[in-house]
Amino acid sequence: MRNLQNQFENRQALVNYVQKLAPWAEGDASEIKGGLSQGLEKLQAIDPINYGNTRNFSDGKITRLSPYVHHGIIDLNQIRNEALRHCSQPEQIIKFVQELAWRDFWQRVAEHHPEWVWKDVEPYKTGFKPQDYAEILPDDITSANTGIACIDWFIEDLINTGYLHNHTRMYIASYIVHFRRIKWQAGAKWFLSHLLDGDEASNNLSWQWVASTFSNKPYIFNLENVDKYFGMQVDMSSEHNAILDASYQQLTELLFPNLVERDRHD
Amino acid sequence: MIDTIIWLHDKGLSISHPLFELPNAGTPCFFIWDDGYFKQRAYSLKRLVFIYESLCEMPIQIVQGNTLEIFTEMRPQKIITPYTADTEINHLIKQLAKGVAVETIRSKPFSMTPNSDVKRFFKYWSKAKKTALLEDAGKNL
Ligand SMILES: Cc1cc2nc3c(=O)[nH]c(=O)nc-3n(C[C@H](O)[C@H](O)[C@H](O)COP(=O)(O)OP(=O)(O)OC[C@H]3O[C@@H](n4cnc5c(N)ncnc54)[C@H](O)[C@@H]3O)c2cc1C
């Protein structure tokens, strides 16, 4: 048992020290810093009233508190109490509190059913069986080289910062499971190694929600949707995002042919 | 032999957690930098740096080693640790509990909803919202 250092001249010295402790660990440090002081700064900056109408957009009033929440640095009770100070009526912050509740919900589900964290809760509602999905994540995904401009941009963000907007988590998960037909578990495991907030319950059960093994239908998206919420930031040209440039009807036919076939016979 | 110790794992990095309240105030507390645990979870450097930076802001000891071996060596009477739903940490806790009493303590509740089995969010939310929109989940009601 060895006591480790807890004071450093600067951040780079700390990063070098951690690198020496874990020479096997991949990548670089994120620009997002750990610690209570950073978490409290983000807590003081919350805007829970405007959150409701803006949270789906890339520049929406999201908090970026998740890495601090996941590590127990700041808890949901503290965030809710702070949010209440921003409003005159609790109804003004209901959407915000409801999103906090998603975390509470996923933790409860995992507590009661720890086996659901890695196993399909229900069958896929995609017309495919689990064995139709690949086990392994190909290199073009892990290296942000899928050739789909917006997806590559989001993956790079994940690799560089360890944080993703909720919407881009949904896009990447949907792309992996439905457009590439890969098991959600492979994607979830990869997210957990990168996300600073990587949390078995919130992450894996959300992947199952996208996959449809813990929801009523698969989540899919198209270029129009990405353009609406992230268009200002990303290369949205049809040329560089070809497969996504389709209607939901076209995508359903392309991605879930067995479902469409079944519907025809019903 | 040590009496009681507080063990903070990477899902409970706070010294404001209720486990520091009486009667545990003043109990020795530390974090174990367990390379095998981190490696098994394939944490990227980003995650490790985030954890280390958070630890450096806390007045606790950081020790390096294998969690189970360290506790076997220390032989405390009791280990107190923050509750988490994380399956890997709970697996570690189960192993520790074979040789020593382990008490897990929860953080302050977000809602006063009974901790019953839930499957769909909106069923849970219809009950949770009654206290989730109140300060301290309406604890003083
Ligand atoms: C595929 C996928 C993977 C995900 N993986 C994780 C994960 O590993 N860890 C994680 O904490 N969240 C995960 N989420 C949920 C959600 O995307 C993040 O909690 C949220 O984007 C974090 O950013 P924020 O702190 O700015 O959130 P805000 O929108 O500001 O919300 C505030 C807090 O509420 C909680 N929260 C908000 N939305 C959700 C949600 N949908 N589910 C659970 N908690 C929520 C978080 O603790 C968050 O910090 C995942 C979602 C998807 C679709």
Side-chain angles (χ1 to χ4, degrees), chain A residues 46 51 55 61-70 76 79 96-104 106-107 163-174 191-192 195-210, chain B residues 47:
Chain A
I46 64 171
Y51 176 90
R55 62 176 281 272
K61 302 289 182 192
I62 51 165
T63 65
R64 297 176 174 261
L65 275 166
S66 51
Y68 308 90
V69 176
H70 166 73
L76 294 180
I79 305 175
F96 182 76
V97 176
Q98 195 181 76
E99 288 306 311
L100 297 177
W102 271 101
R103 177 177 164 88
D104 189 47
W106 292 134
Q107 302 300 312
Y163 174 86
L164 285 176
H165 187 286
N166 179 58
H167 228 145
T168 61
R169 295 179 202 226
M170 288 162 63
Y171 295 148
I172 299 178
S174 173
F191 260 30
L192 287 179
L195 284 172
L196 299 179
D197 61 32
D199 181 286
E200 275 185 348
S202 294
N203 182 63
N204 295 19
L205 295 167
S206 296
W207 273 84
Q208 296 225 51
W209 182 88
V210 169
Chain B
R47 293 204 69 167

Side-chain angles (χ1 to χ4, degrees), chain A residues 6-7 36, chain B residues 8 13-16 20 27-31 54-62:
Chain A
N6 58 8
Q7 277 181 341
L36 177 63
Chain B
L8 295 188
L13 300 181
S14 166
I15 53 158
S16 319
F20 287 96
T27 305
C29 164
F30 60 87
F31 181 91
S54 303
L55 289 169
C56 287
E57 279 195 18
M58 300 166 73
I60 62 164
Q61 219 181 331
I62 315 169

Side-chain angles (χ1 to χ4, degrees), chain A residues 48-82:
Chain A
I49 295 182
N50 290 315
Y51 176 90
N53 291 330
T54 61
R55 62 176 281 272
N56 283 326
F57 292 87
S58 61
D59 59 352
K61 302 289 182 192
I62 51 165
T63 65
R64 297 176 174 261
L65 275 166
S66 51
Y68 308 90
V69 176
H70 166 73
H71 289 100
I73 297 167
I74 289 188
D75 66 30
L76 294 180
N77 182 51
Q78 245 175 308
I79 305 175
R80 179 260 321 285
N81 287 353
E82 178 62 27

